[in-house]
């Protein structure tokens, strides 16, 4: 937002320089982008009056003008098309110094096409006032001839451009900026006194709110017999120009002036062009509007509009319509002033490629109690400039949709904690009071703060603390090293972290996947015949209709996606929830699932890699189960699962409790899903596998180990795990290790039987075991294996 420093100082005038003012408001959070003079340096330019303008005898586009400076008359040759008798303009006399891109230049007496010229009539761009070069500048008819132009236009001023953050819409006005400067300098602010303009006629124009949630308040006023051809006063034109707004006509200038002065957008309609009454509503299908700039737009369904009985006449809070705009022929106007909900306007202008001063303010928030003051201020200015007969202000309002006054509790202890020093209570109360807030003491060290309607960015305690820091001065806050009491949370060493599990799987070559919790009903049934998945009431699509009871379907779909893109070697894992309907409840269980497919090793020069098999994924699962040091507590039991190969599937148990399943994807599913097999899967309950055991120190024995190797004949269906467990239970307390180092079936072994070779190692912690003790332990193992597994020693 651009504004004139002198305009600001009319309301609040602290005894500080321009640079100090700029630095101050920047430090307060209102960042200044640029400070520029209102006009470039020039001298000896006065208000001149053209007494006559005649055609140049030797040039078609030049005129010979007689120009008065109030004392003398000078002959000046001018090429401006608007030079005419009676016009008052800027007159640079001989000796004047004007700005130019190449540096200052001095006006000298010259001859143009054999005619002497004693000076120069100036355009605005030649004085650095604007970029306008359409002709010489035109001053008011009552401009005093001979007066120094800098003094007349009050050009010793600065234009300050402030880049406001979106939450500070209250400062998008001279009034809001003056309020801020007054607070920062503890200086009095003299706001413009706005008194109601008494009605001289009874004329009104009806207003109906059909979208009260978007427009809860709409004020309107009829003003008749307005002279739109009147000239806006110089002080208004100049203030608008310095705010970056071009003067158009008195009606538009007044609404723009009030916009800059108070921050409240207004709009004026030609009353004669309105039909029936005003309706604030959303567009009907297919409605269009031609805007004031001549462009026609098709109105979106969510764009709030102002309409009459014939259709849309304006885009609410954004742009007026061409058909009802005020022109020089207008006599009667309808002045509107409304409060629009911030959300109802936000983004709407950008949807049409527009950005207006009104939309900029409504999007950031406008004071919901400002409308009466603004319409009275605009009315007073219009009547002073254009005359007219004023009707009463009419209001359409929906109280239930208007914002409500807010109060926030502020604690002294919280202020001191966040600002890192003890701010006195008196200073807290003084700052908040200067900010326009009403304070009520609410117990010791606590206040109830009533937030003014223009500070819509303050809603919680930290917002108030930010205001205290901002006004006190961020640069005045103490700098301290932060201190904190660190409470160390006990680390349960028996728990395996998810980080460790992920890291181990990544080290094994897996990549983590995240799949949807919603899957297709048919796919769910292929992987789980035990639970009937919970159906969603309003699914996104048919492929996401039910809650998953297993992560496998999502991983298999990911495999399918990868194989369709020539990725044959895939290793995926995912940790997430499955949703199991149990009675009337939905149990959400955290599980870890994995998928393995393709070759065991990536392709390389060393030779062709073999495809993965059941023992590859079993080894990976055992790596995870061993992370907590409790891998020996898990057993793999052959079992059937609807999604797994009947001969390559197992149930994983711990202390008799099912932990999960592992196996090859069923061949029928591989075919149905058009996969390249084989595919191996596992799924484990995270709550169980995270439970490890506490490691304990045991001193290494200094005495030698004793090993015995046994070759046993057992039934081919007897699992090694059962043989190992029997050996460990019956080998005595000094049996340290049981390993399997050979499995054989074939010549010399009966059909249906197999030979397995075990290595058993004993070691005593404090002495060397003798032969008799070892033999006795071996005998106990053989007897137990014979009894439990029908094992016999191989010849």
């Amino acid at each position: 937002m651009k504004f004139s420093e002198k305009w600001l100082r009319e309301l609040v005038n602290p005894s500080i320089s321009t640079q100090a003012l700029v630095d101050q408001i920047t430090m307060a959070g209102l960042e200044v982008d640029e400070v520029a003079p209102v006009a470039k340096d020039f001298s000896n330019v006065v208000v001149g009056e053209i007494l006559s303008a005649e055609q140049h005898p030797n040039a078609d586009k030049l005129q010979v003008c007689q120009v008065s400076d109030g004392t003398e008359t000078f002959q000046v040759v001018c090429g401006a098309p608007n030079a005419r008798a009676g016009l008052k303009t800027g007159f640079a006399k001989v000796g004047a110094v004007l700005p130019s891109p190449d540096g200052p230049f001095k006006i000298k007496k010259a001859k143009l096409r054999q005619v002497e010229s004693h000076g120069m009539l100036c355009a605005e761009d030649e004085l650095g006032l604007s970029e306008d070069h359409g002709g010489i500048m035109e001053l008011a008819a009552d401009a005093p001839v001979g007066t120094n132009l800098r003094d007349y236009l009050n050009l010793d001023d600065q234009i300050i451009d402030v880049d406001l953050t979106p939450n500070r819409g209250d400062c998008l006005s001279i009034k809001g900026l003056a309020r801020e400067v007054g607070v920062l300098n503890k200086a009095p602010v003299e706001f413009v006194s706005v008194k109601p303009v008494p009605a001289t006629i009874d004329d009104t124009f009806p207003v109906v709110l059909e979208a009260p949630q978007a427009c809860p308040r709409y004020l309107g006023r009829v003003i008749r017999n307005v002279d739109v051809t009147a000239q806006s006063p110089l002080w208004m034109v100049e203030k608008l120009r310095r705010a970056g707004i071009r003067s158009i006509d008195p009606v538009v200038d007044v609404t723009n002036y009030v916009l800059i002065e108070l921050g409240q957008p207004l709009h004026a309609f030609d009353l004669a062009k309105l039909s029936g009454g005003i309706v604030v509503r959303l567009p009907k299908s297919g409605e269009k509007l031609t805007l004031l700039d001549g462009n026609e737009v098709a109105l979106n369904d969510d764009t709030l509009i102002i309409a009459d009985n014939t259709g849309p006449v304006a885009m609410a809070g954004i742009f007026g319509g061409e058909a009802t705009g005020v022109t020089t022929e207008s006599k009667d106007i309808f002045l509107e002033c409304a409060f629009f909900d911030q959300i109802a306007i936000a983004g709407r202008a950008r949807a049409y490629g527009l950005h207006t001063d009104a939309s900029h303010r409504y999007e950031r928030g406008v004071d919901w109690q400002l409308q009466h003051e603004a319409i009275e201020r605009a009315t007073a200015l219009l009547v002073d400039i254009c005359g007219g007969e004023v009707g009463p202000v009419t209001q359409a309002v929906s109280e239930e949709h208007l914002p409500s006054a807010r109060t926030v509790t502020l604690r002294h202890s919280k202020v001191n904690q966040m600002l890192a020093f003890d701010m006195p209570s008196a200073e807290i109360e003084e700052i908040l009071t200067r900010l326009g807030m009403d304070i009520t003491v609410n117990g010791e060290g606590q206040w109830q703060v009533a937030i003014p309607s223009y500070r819509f960015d303050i809603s919680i305690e930290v917002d108030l603390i930010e205001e205290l820091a901002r006004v006190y001065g961020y640069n005045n806050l103490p700098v301290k090293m932060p201190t904190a009491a660190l409470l160390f949370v006990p680390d349960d060493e028996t728990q395996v972290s998810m980080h460790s599990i992920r890291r181990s799987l990544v080290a094994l070559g897996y990549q983590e996947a995240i799949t949807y919790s919603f899957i297709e009903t048919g796919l769910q049934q292929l992987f789980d015949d035990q639970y009937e998945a919970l159906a969603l009431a309003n699914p996104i699509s048919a492929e996401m209709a039910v809650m998953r009871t297993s992560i496998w379907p999502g991983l298999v779909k990911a495999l399918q996606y990868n194989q369709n893109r020539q990725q044959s070697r895939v290793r995926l894992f995912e940790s997430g929830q499955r949703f199991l309907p149990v009675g009337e409840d939905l149990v959400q269980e955290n599980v870890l699932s994995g998928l393995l497919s393709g070759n065991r090793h990536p392709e390389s020069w060393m030779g062709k890699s073999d495809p993965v098999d059941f023992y590859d994924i079993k080894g990976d699962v055992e790596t995870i189960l061993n992370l907590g040091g409790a891998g020996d507590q898990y057993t793999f039991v052959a079992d059937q699962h609807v999604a797994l190969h009947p001969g390559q599937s197992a149930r994983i148990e711990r202390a008799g409790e099912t932990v999960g399943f592992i196996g090859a994807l069923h061949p029928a599913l591989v075919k149905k899903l058009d996969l390249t097999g084989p595919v191996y899967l596992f799924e484990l309950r995270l709550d169980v596998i995270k439970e490890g055991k506490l490691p304990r120190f045991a001193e290494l024995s200094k005495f030698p180990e004793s090993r015995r190797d046994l070759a046993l004949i057992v039934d081919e269906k007897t699992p090694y795990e059962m043989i190992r467990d029997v050996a460990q239970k019956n080998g005595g307390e000094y049996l340290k290790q049981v390993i399997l180092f050979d499995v054989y079936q074939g010549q010399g072994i009966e059909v249906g039987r197999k030979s397995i070779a075990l290595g058993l190692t004993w070691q005593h912690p404090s002495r060397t075991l003798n032969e008799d003790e070892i033999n006795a332990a071996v005998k106990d193992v053989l007897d137990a294996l014979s009894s439990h597994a029908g094992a016999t020693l191989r010849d």
Side-chain angles (χ1 to χ4, degrees), residues 547-575:
M547 305 290 286
R548 68 186 181 191
T549 61
S550 170
I551 297 180
W552 284 348
L555 291 180
V556 170
K557 291 292 285 184
L559 171 65
Q560 185 183 58
Y561 183 89
N562 277 273
Q563 287 187 346
N564 288 341
R565 285 155 182 79
Q566 293 83 47
Q567 301 301 312
S568 59
R569 187 174 182 272
V570 178
R571 281 167 164 77
L572 300 173
F573 78 93
E574 179 177 0
S575 60

mmCIF file of all heavy atoms in Angstrom, residues 547-575:
data_model
loop_
_atom_site.group_PDB
_atom_site.id
_atom_site.type_symbol
_atom_site.label_atom_id
_atom_site.label_comp_id
_atom_site.label_asym_id
_atom_site.label_seq_id
_atom_site.Cartn_x
_atom_site.Cartn_y
_atom_site.Cartn_z
ATOM 1 N N MET A 547 -12.293 -51.719 3.957
ATOM 2 C CA MET A 547 -11.076 -51.569 4.751
ATOM 3 C C MET A 547 -10.280 -52.871 4.692
ATOM 4 O O MET A 547 -10.841 -53.960 4.838
ATOM 5 C CB MET A 547 -11.430 -51.252 6.209
ATOM 6 C CG MET A 547 -12.340 -50.046 6.396
ATOM 7 S SD MET A 547 -11.521 -48.498 6.024
ATOM 8 C CE MET A 547 -10.475 -48.329 7.444
ATOM 9 N N ARG A 548 -8.995 -52.774 4.518
ATOM 10 C CA ARG A 548 -8.158 -53.962 4.358
ATOM 11 C C ARG A 548 -8.054 -54.738 5.670
ATOM 12 O O ARG A 548 -7.964 -54.153 6.748
ATOM 13 C CB ARG A 548 -6.767 -53.568 3.877
ATOM 14 C CG ARG A 548 -5.954 -52.794 4.905
ATOM 15 C CD ARG A 548 -4.645 -52.315 4.319
ATOM 16 N NE ARG A 548 -3.824 -51.580 5.294
ATOM 17 C CZ ARG A 548 -2.750 -50.883 4.998
ATOM 18 N NH1 ARG A 548 -2.347 -50.796 3.732
ATOM 19 N NH2 ARG A 548 -2.071 -50.249 5.940
ATOM 20 N N THR A 549 -8.054 -56.057 5.574
ATOM 21 C CA THR A 549 -7.776 -56.913 6.730
ATOM 22 C C THR A 549 -6.370 -57.475 6.640
ATOM 23 O O THR A 549 -5.947 -58.235 7.506
ATOM 24 C CB THR A 549 -8.798 -58.060 6.801
ATOM 25 O OG1 THR A 549 -8.687 -58.858 5.612
ATOM 26 C CG2 THR A 549 -10.213 -57.529 6.940
ATOM 27 N N SER A 550 -5.654 -57.135 5.583
ATOM 28 C CA SER A 550 -4.265 -57.536 5.398
ATOM 29 C C SER A 550 -3.600 -56.523 4.482
ATOM 30 O O SER A 550 -4.257 -55.901 3.638
ATOM 31 C CB SER A 550 -4.175 -58.940 4.781
ATOM 32 O OG SER A 550 -2.850 -59.233 4.381
ATOM 33 N N ILE A 551 -2.293 -56.341 4.666
ATOM 34 C CA ILE A 551 -1.552 -55.429 3.793
ATOM 35 C C ILE A 551 -1.152 -56.118 2.498
ATOM 36 O O ILE A 551 -0.806 -55.470 1.510
ATOM 37 C CB ILE A 551 -0.307 -54.895 4.540
ATOM 38 C CG1 ILE A 551 -0.755 -54.072 5.756
ATOM 39 C CG2 ILE A 551 0.574 -54.037 3.649
ATOM 40 C CD1 ILE A 551 0.380 -53.492 6.562
ATOM 41 N N TRP A 552 -1.220 -57.445 2.443
ATOM 42 C CA TRP A 552 -0.783 -58.189 1.262
ATOM 43 C C TRP A 552 -1.414 -57.715 -0.041
ATOM 44 O O TRP A 552 -0.705 -57.573 -1.047
ATOM 45 C CB TRP A 552 -1.049 -59.687 1.451
ATOM 46 C CG TRP A 552 -0.057 -60.345 2.362
ATOM 47 C CD1 TRP A 552 1.112 -59.825 2.809
ATOM 48 C CD2 TRP A 552 -0.159 -61.656 2.917
ATOM 49 N NE1 TRP A 552 1.757 -60.722 3.639
ATOM 50 C CE2 TRP A 552 0.998 -61.867 3.710
ATOM 51 C CE3 TRP A 552 -1.093 -62.678 2.843
ATOM 52 C CZ2 TRP A 552 1.232 -63.036 4.410
ATOM 53 C CZ3 TRP A 552 -0.865 -63.860 3.541
ATOM 54 C CH2 TRP A 552 0.288 -64.043 4.319
ATOM 55 N N PRO A 553 -2.748 -57.462 -0.103
ATOM 56 C CA PRO A 553 -3.321 -57.052 -1.398
ATOM 57 C C PRO A 553 -2.659 -55.793 -1.954
ATOM 58 O O PRO A 553 -2.401 -55.700 -3.159
ATOM 59 C CB PRO A 553 -4.801 -56.820 -1.063
ATOM 60 C CG PRO A 553 -5.060 -57.697 0.116
ATOM 61 C CD PRO A 553 -3.804 -57.678 0.918
ATOM 62 N N GLY A 554 -2.379 -54.811 -1.072
ATOM 63 C CA GLY A 554 -1.746 -53.590 -1.543
ATOM 64 C C GLY A 554 -0.339 -53.835 -2.065
ATOM 65 O O GLY A 554 0.067 -53.280 -3.095
ATOM 66 N N LEU A 555 0.433 -54.682 -1.365
ATOM 67 C CA LEU A 555 1.784 -54.973 -1.813
ATOM 68 C C LEU A 555 1.786 -55.747 -3.122
ATOM 69 O O LEU A 555 2.632 -55.516 -4.005
ATOM 70 C CB LEU A 555 2.531 -55.767 -0.736
ATOM 71 C CG LEU A 555 2.879 -55.002 0.552
ATOM 72 C CD1 LEU A 555 3.618 -55.916 1.517
ATOM 73 C CD2 LEU A 555 3.713 -53.763 0.257
ATOM 74 N N VAL A 556 0.845 -56.673 -3.262
ATOM 75 C CA VAL A 556 0.766 -57.449 -4.503
ATOM 76 C C VAL A 556 0.381 -56.544 -5.678
ATOM 77 O O VAL A 556 0.907 -56.698 -6.788
ATOM 78 C CB VAL A 556 -0.223 -58.623 -4.343
ATOM 79 C CG1 VAL A 556 -0.505 -59.279 -5.693
ATOM 80 C CG2 VAL A 556 0.329 -59.659 -3.363
ATOM 81 N N LYS A 557 -0.516 -55.580 -5.440
ATOM 82 C CA LYS A 557 -0.860 -54.627 -6.500
ATOM 83 C C LYS A 557 0.365 -53.774 -6.877
ATOM 84 O O LYS A 557 0.572 -53.455 -8.049
ATOM 85 C CB LYS A 557 -2.001 -53.716 -6.031
ATOM 86 C CG LYS A 557 -3.339 -54.431 -5.884
ATOM 87 C CD LYS A 557 -3.911 -54.869 -7.223
ATOM 88 C CE LYS A 557 -4.475 -53.706 -7.999
ATOM 89 N NZ LYS A 557 -5.118 -54.134 -9.254
ATOM 90 N N ALA A 558 1.177 -53.430 -5.863
ATOM 91 C CA ALA A 558 2.404 -52.682 -6.143
ATOM 92 C C ALA A 558 3.374 -53.521 -6.969
ATOM 93 O O ALA A 558 4.040 -53.017 -7.878
ATOM 94 C CB ALA A 558 3.057 -52.244 -4.832
ATOM 95 N N LEU A 559 3.452 -54.823 -6.664
ATOM 96 C CA LEU A 559 4.292 -55.733 -7.452
ATOM 97 C C LEU A 559 3.781 -55.797 -8.885
ATOM 98 O O LEU A 559 4.562 -55.751 -9.842
ATOM 99 C CB LEU A 559 4.290 -57.126 -6.819
ATOM 100 C CG LEU A 559 4.941 -58.238 -7.658
ATOM 101 C CD1 LEU A 559 6.432 -57.962 -7.836
ATOM 102 C CD2 LEU A 559 4.700 -59.601 -7.026
ATOM 103 N N GLN A 560 2.476 -55.912 -9.027
ATOM 104 C CA GLN A 560 1.877 -55.970 -10.362
ATOM 105 C C GLN A 560 2.226 -54.717 -11.161
ATOM 106 O O GLN A 560 2.604 -54.793 -12.344
ATOM 107 C CB GLN A 560 0.355 -56.105 -10.220
ATOM 108 C CG GLN A 560 -0.389 -56.295 -11.512
ATOM 109 C CD GLN A 560 -1.891 -56.335 -11.283
ATOM 110 O OE1 GLN A 560 -2.470 -55.406 -10.752
ATOM 111 N NE2 GLN A 560 -2.505 -57.447 -11.653
ATOM 112 N N TYR A 561 2.160 -53.565 -10.512
ATOM 113 C CA TYR A 561 2.487 -52.287 -11.160
ATOM 114 C C TYR A 561 3.937 -52.288 -11.617
ATOM 115 O O TYR A 561 4.262 -51.849 -12.728
ATOM 116 C CB TYR A 561 2.220 -51.153 -10.176
ATOM 117 C CG TYR A 561 2.443 -49.763 -10.734
ATOM 118 C CD1 TYR A 561 1.417 -49.064 -11.364
ATOM 119 C CD2 TYR A 561 3.686 -49.151 -10.626
ATOM 120 C CE1 TYR A 561 1.622 -47.796 -11.876
ATOM 121 C CE2 TYR A 561 3.902 -47.881 -11.140
ATOM 122 C CZ TYR A 561 2.867 -47.207 -11.762
ATOM 123 O OH TYR A 561 3.076 -45.961 -12.268
ATOM 124 N N ASN A 562 4.836 -52.779 -10.769
ATOM 125 C CA ASN A 562 6.263 -52.786 -11.095
ATOM 126 C C ASN A 562 6.583 -53.783 -12.207
ATOM 127 O O ASN A 562 7.365 -53.495 -13.117
ATOM 128 C CB ASN A 562 7.085 -53.101 -9.844
ATOM 129 C CG ASN A 562 7.321 -51.880 -8.981
ATOM 130 O OD1 ASN A 562 8.264 -51.140 -9.187
ATOM 131 N ND2 ASN A 562 6.419 -51.655 -8.035
ATOM 132 N N GLN A 563 5.978 -54.976 -12.137
ATOM 133 C CA GLN A 563 6.253 -55.978 -13.173
ATOM 134 C C GLN A 563 5.740 -55.520 -14.524
ATOM 135 O O GLN A 563 6.341 -55.842 -15.562
ATOM 136 C CB GLN A 563 5.630 -57.309 -12.777
ATOM 137 C CG GLN A 563 6.380 -58.021 -11.644
ATOM 138 C CD GLN A 563 5.858 -59.417 -11.388
ATOM 139 O OE1 GLN A 563 4.772 -59.795 -11.874
ATOM 140 N NE2 GLN A 563 6.601 -60.202 -10.622
ATOM 141 N N ASN A 564 4.657 -54.771 -14.540
ATOM 142 C CA ASN A 564 4.141 -54.243 -15.805
ATOM 143 C C ASN A 564 5.071 -53.203 -16.414
ATOM 144 O O ASN A 564 4.906 -52.794 -17.555
ATOM 145 C CB ASN A 564 2.756 -53.627 -15.594
ATOM 146 C CG ASN A 564 1.693 -54.684 -15.355
ATOM 147 O OD1 ASN A 564 1.893 -55.860 -15.695
ATOM 148 N ND2 ASN A 564 0.575 -54.297 -14.761
ATOM 149 N N ARG A 565 6.042 -52.753 -15.617
ATOM 150 C CA ARG A 565 7.015 -51.756 -16.084
ATOM 151 C C ARG A 565 8.424 -52.329 -16.083
ATOM 152 O O ARG A 565 9.391 -51.631 -15.801
ATOM 153 C CB ARG A 565 6.906 -50.498 -15.222
ATOM 154 C CG ARG A 565 5.650 -49.698 -15.574
ATOM 155 C CD ARG A 565 5.160 -48.840 -14.447
ATOM 156 N NE ARG A 565 3.926 -48.151 -14.864
ATOM 157 C CZ ARG A 565 2.733 -48.728 -14.875
ATOM 158 N NH1 ARG A 565 2.601 -49.992 -14.495
ATOM 159 N NH2 ARG A 565 1.669 -48.046 -15.271
ATOM 160 N N GLN A 566 8.517 -53.625 -16.374
ATOM 161 C CA GLN A 566 9.776 -54.351 -16.551
ATOM 162 C C GLN A 566 10.667 -54.366 -15.307
ATOM 163 O O GLN A 566 11.887 -54.459 -15.409
ATOM 164 C CB GLN A 566 10.573 -53.775 -17.736
ATOM 165 C CG GLN A 566 9.937 -53.989 -19.096
ATOM 166 C CD GLN A 566 8.887 -52.951 -19.406
ATOM 167 O OE1 GLN A 566 9.113 -51.766 -19.224
ATOM 168 N NE2 GLN A 566 7.736 -53.404 -19.888
ATOM 169 N N GLN A 567 10.062 -54.266 -14.131
ATOM 170 C CA GLN A 567 10.826 -54.379 -12.889
ATOM 171 C C GLN A 567 10.577 -55.769 -12.317
ATOM 172 O O GLN A 567 9.577 -56.011 -11.653
ATOM 173 C CB GLN A 567 10.409 -53.292 -11.890
ATOM 174 C CG GLN A 567 10.592 -51.879 -12.394
ATOM 175 C CD GLN A 567 12.030 -51.580 -12.750
ATOM 176 O OE1 GLN A 567 12.943 -51.873 -11.979
ATOM 177 N NE2 GLN A 567 12.251 -50.997 -13.925
ATOM 178 N N SER A 568 11.475 -56.678 -12.602
ATOM 179 C CA SER A 568 11.242 -58.082 -12.241
ATOM 180 C C SER A 568 11.715 -58.417 -10.841
ATOM 181 O O SER A 568 11.194 -59.337 -10.195
ATOM 182 C CB SER A 568 11.932 -58.994 -13.261
ATOM 183 O OG SER A 568 13.330 -58.720 -13.277
ATOM 184 N N ARG A 569 12.720 -57.711 -10.337
ATOM 185 C CA ARG A 569 13.263 -58.017 -9.001
ATOM 186 C C ARG A 569 12.712 -56.989 -8.014
ATOM 187 O O ARG A 569 13.116 -55.831 -7.999
ATOM 188 C CB ARG A 569 14.788 -57.973 -9.026
ATOM 189 C CG ARG A 569 15.430 -58.446 -7.733
ATOM 190 C CD ARG A 569 16.950 -58.512 -7.882
ATOM 191 N NE ARG A 569 17.567 -59.011 -6.668
ATOM 192 C CZ ARG A 569 17.929 -58.243 -5.635
ATOM 193 N NH1 ARG A 569 17.755 -56.932 -5.708
ATOM 194 N NH2 ARG A 569 18.482 -58.781 -4.559
ATOM 195 N N VAL A 570 11.775 -57.425 -7.185
ATOM 196 C CA VAL A 570 11.043 -56.498 -6.315
ATOM 197 C C VAL A 570 11.103 -57.003 -4.873
ATOM 198 O O VAL A 570 10.843 -58.186 -4.604
ATOM 199 C CB VAL A 570 9.567 -56.357 -6.754
ATOM 200 C CG1 VAL A 570 8.817 -55.436 -5.808
ATOM 201 C CG2 VAL A 570 9.498 -55.837 -8.189
ATOM 202 N N ARG A 571 11.456 -56.115 -3.962
ATOM 203 C CA ARG A 571 11.433 -56.402 -2.531
ATOM 204 C C ARG A 571 10.759 -55.213 -1.846
ATOM 205 O O ARG A 571 11.298 -54.102 -1.861
ATOM 206 C CB ARG A 571 12.859 -56.576 -1.985
ATOM 207 C CG ARG A 571 13.477 -57.925 -2.269
ATOM 208 C CD ARG A 571 14.982 -57.893 -1.980
ATOM 209 N NE ARG A 571 15.564 -59.224 -1.881
ATOM 210 C CZ ARG A 571 15.839 -60.006 -2.895
ATOM 211 N NH1 ARG A 571 15.566 -59.566 -4.120
ATOM 212 N NH2 ARG A 571 16.372 -61.202 -2.709
ATOM 213 N N LEU A 572 9.598 -55.442 -1.247
ATOM 214 C CA LEU A 572 8.816 -54.379 -0.624
ATOM 215 C C LEU A 572 8.437 -54.760 0.797
ATOM 216 O O LEU A 572 8.237 -55.929 1.100
ATOM 217 C CB LEU A 572 7.537 -54.099 -1.417
ATOM 218 C CG LEU A 572 7.684 -53.653 -2.876
ATOM 219 C CD1 LEU A 572 6.313 -53.581 -3.540
ATOM 220 C CD2 LEU A 572 8.380 -52.299 -2.958
ATOM 221 N N PHE A 573 8.324 -53.725 1.653
ATOM 222 C CA PHE A 573 7.741 -53.947 2.975
ATOM 223 C C PHE A 573 6.900 -52.732 3.345
ATOM 224 O O PHE A 573 7.100 -51.631 2.823
ATOM 225 C CB PHE A 573 8.825 -54.203 4.035
ATOM 226 C CG PHE A 573 9.534 -52.961 4.507
ATOM 227 C CD1 PHE A 573 9.084 -52.267 5.632
ATOM 228 C CD2 PHE A 573 10.654 -52.481 3.846
ATOM 229 C CE1 PHE A 573 9.747 -51.122 6.075
ATOM 230 C CE2 PHE A 573 11.320 -51.341 4.275
ATOM 231 C CZ PHE A 573 10.857 -50.650 5.399
ATOM 232 N N GLU A 574 5.954 -52.945 4.236
ATOM 233 C CA GLU A 574 5.089 -51.859 4.700
ATOM 234 C C GLU A 574 4.679 -52.136 6.143
ATOM 235 O O GLU A 574 4.348 -53.274 6.503
ATOM 236 C CB GLU A 574 3.837 -51.737 3.824
ATOM 237 C CG GLU A 574 2.898 -50.629 4.298
ATOM 238 C CD GLU A 574 1.680 -50.427 3.405
ATOM 239 O OE1 GLU A 574 1.557 -51.156 2.401
ATOM 240 O OE2 GLU A 574 0.857 -49.555 3.721
ATOM 241 N N SER A 575 4.707 -51.118 6.945
ATOM 242 C CA SER A 575 4.164 -51.196 8.300
ATOM 243 C C SER A 575 2.916 -50.328 8.346
ATOM 244 O O SER A 575 2.941 -49.178 7.914
ATOM 245 C CB SER A 575 5.189 -50.713 9.322
ATOM 246 O OG SER A 575 5.550 -49.370 9.072
#
